[in-house]
Amino acid sequence: MQYLVTGAAGFIGSNYVRYLLNAREDVSIVSLDALTYAGSKANLAGVLDDPRHEFVEGDIRDDELMASLLTDADYVLNFAAESHVDRSIEGAEPFVSTNVEGTRTLLDAALGAGLEGFLQVSTDEVYGQILDGAFTETDPLTPRNPYAASKAGADLLAMSYWHTHELPVVVTRTCNNFGPRQHDEKLIPKFVQRAAEGAELPLYGDGSNVREWIYVADNCRAIDQVLREGSPGEIYNIGTGIERTNLEVAEAIIDAVGGSDDQITFVEDRPGHDQRYALETAKLERLGWGPEWSFEEGLERTVGYYLE
Ligand code: NAD
């Protein structure tokens, strides 16, 4: 089976490529990445010379390149995205360009390629915030920041290619991932580094915003299962029920690294900051998936990785 994995030099994409090479013998993977500030070939160190794996530097908005890479592909997983909410508040253009137009380019290239599956990687943020309970896959999309809005646009486009063209699209919406190889602009790697340096850990607002967390290995396994066993035209939430306030995350990192709670500071809140996300995952559980990593085990592994 031949896979095209876009955004493969980023955090989750690079973990997924490793997962797939380990999990199955009979795979051939083309990893595509534009190597923006967020991507690095170093994230694929150790698997770049695997004979089953080829790395291509390129952009998902390049229609000729996408068409040529899709000629022999059986599966496409679209991880490529501009992914940092704060950056989308400073300027939404690259988010709309890569996340919406890039996804459109990839979907068009996939038409007629005879794919077994096209998995669009999405996020819980498309639903907006939820103060009580948890989002199901049929809840309306009310994204509240430009990143989330661009991902919602991509989800809708992808689903429309199923309804209109019968392209076998599945969409996964995952909660916050953590683990090795995440860019250090993101909360956990940034805080591990700063805690270890004795620097301040700046929390938005009062630190009470709640996120649901998944260790990246669990997300990779869920994505793979949805790709192979999910029904085309369906959306699958991927979550764990592991909820933590940002303050609790900061405190857990300080405990793990051996810093001091005095390092925690509170800064002006992010505009449009969602208070809480939570996902209902009965649909994914019906495929037989469940998380294997607790927050504590995942954090221990993650802190060890960044300190090294
Ligand atoms: P990331 O920023 O670490 O990786 C994104 C990768 O995409 C980078 O390697 C970047 O170089 C590449 N890229 C960007 N623009 C491109 C383009 N035009 N063409 C080709 N490659 C391009 O992000 P991540 O955290 O690994 O997220 C991967 C996917 O998962 C994204 O679609 C994101 O929306 C989604 N997601 C992430 C999380 C999370 O907690 N990290 C949660 C839910 C969903």
Side-chain angles (χ1 to χ4, degrees):
M1 286 293 173
Q2 184 152 322
Y3 290 71
L4 174 64
V5 180
T6 74
F11 166 45
I12 308 175
S14 63
N15 279 284
Y16 180 74
V17 167
R18 284 163 195 281
Y19 167 84
L20 198 54
L21 288 168
N22 279 331
R24 267 189 287 292
E25 207 44 55
D26 62 333
V27 290
S28 156
I29 304 175
V30 175
S31 278
L32 175 99
D33 202 291
L35 299 179
T36 68
Y37 80 95
S40 167
K41 274 176 90 171
N43 285 337
L44 293 166
V47 293
L48 284 170
D49 51 4
D50 188 308
R52 298 169 297 160
H53 181 218
E54 180 192 354
F55 179 79
V56 176
E57 181 175 346
D59 197 303
I60 58 165
R61 293 165 293 184
D62 180 339
D63 50 3
E64 280 179 24
L65 178 62
M66 290 312 105
S68 73
L69 293 179
L70 276 157
T71 319
D72 298 319
D74 299 301
Y75 294 110
V76 175
L77 296 106
N78 185 25
F79 291 92
E82 289 292 336
S83 68
H84 195 45
V85 175
D86 286 349
R87 286 176 185 262
S88 79
I89 293 167
E90 284 159 24
E93 192 278 334
F95 288 77
V96 175
S97 181
T98 281
N99 300 0
V100 182
E101 180 58 14
T103 301
R104 196 277 309 154
T105 308
L106 199 54
L107 288 163
D108 275 341
L111 291 179
L115 290 179
E116 298 279 321
F118 182 116
L119 189 141
Q120 173 64 16
V121 177
S122 187
T123 165
D124 56 2
E125 297 199 28
V126 297
Y127 296 116
Q129 65 177 359
I130 188 163
L131 301 183
D132 296 300
F135 287 118
T136 66
E137 288 86 350
T138 51
D139 278 330
L141 304 186
T142 53
R144 288 160 36 97
N145 63 64
Y147 159 71
S150 68
K151 294 295 292 183
D155 285 18
L156 296 176
L157 256 184
M159 290 300 289
S160 80
Y161 275 60
W162 159 251
H163 294 296
T164 312
H165 302 292
E166 293 185 7
L167 187 70
V169 169
V170 282
V171 173
T172 54
R173 295 184 180 144
T174 312
C175 62
N176 271 33
N177 284 236
F178 69 109
R181 302 182 191 85
Q182 189 167 26
H183 193 280
D184 62 12
E185 69 187 355
K186 301 285 171 40
L187 185 85
I188 288 186
K190 178 164 90 182
F191 277 15
V192 172
Q193 195 176 324
R194 293 183 73 87
E197 288 166 354
E200 286 184 350
L201 274 55
L203 282 173
Y204 282 131
D206 60 4
S208 67
N209 302 67
V210 174
R211 298 292 177 264
E212 183 176 353
W213 291 94
I214 185 169
Y215 188 63
V216 65
D218 275 340
N219 186 29
C220 291
R221 197 165 44 79
I223 282 174
D224 198 54
Q225 188 155 1
V226 169
L227 181 66
R228 287 180 296 112
E229 297 170 26
S231 302
E234 294 290 328
I235 297 165
Y236 294 83
N237 287 344
I238 302 177
T240 59
I242 300 172
E243 293 188 34
R244 295 286 185 280
T245 66
N246 289 341
L247 179 58
E248 287 169 336
V249 172
E251 288 168 347
I253 290 171
I254 283 172
D255 277 353
V257 173
S260 150
D261 282 354
D262 296 343
Q263 288 171 257
I264 296 174
T265 58
F266 298 95
V267 298
E268 189 183 333
D269 209 354
R270 167 200 277 166
H273 198 178
D274 292 330
Q275 181 59 31
R276 176 175 173 267
Y277 305 122
L279 292 173
E280 220 268 83
T281 54
K283 200 166 165 182
L284 180 65
E285 284 158 30
R286 283 198 290 277
L287 296 181
W289 183 90
E292 289 178 352
W293 287 78
S294 70
F295 184 73
E296 290 68 28
E297 287 164 335
L299 191 65
E300 192 183 331
R301 181 71 67 92
T302 304
V303 167
Y305 171 85
Y306 289 114
L307 292 184
E308 218 174 88

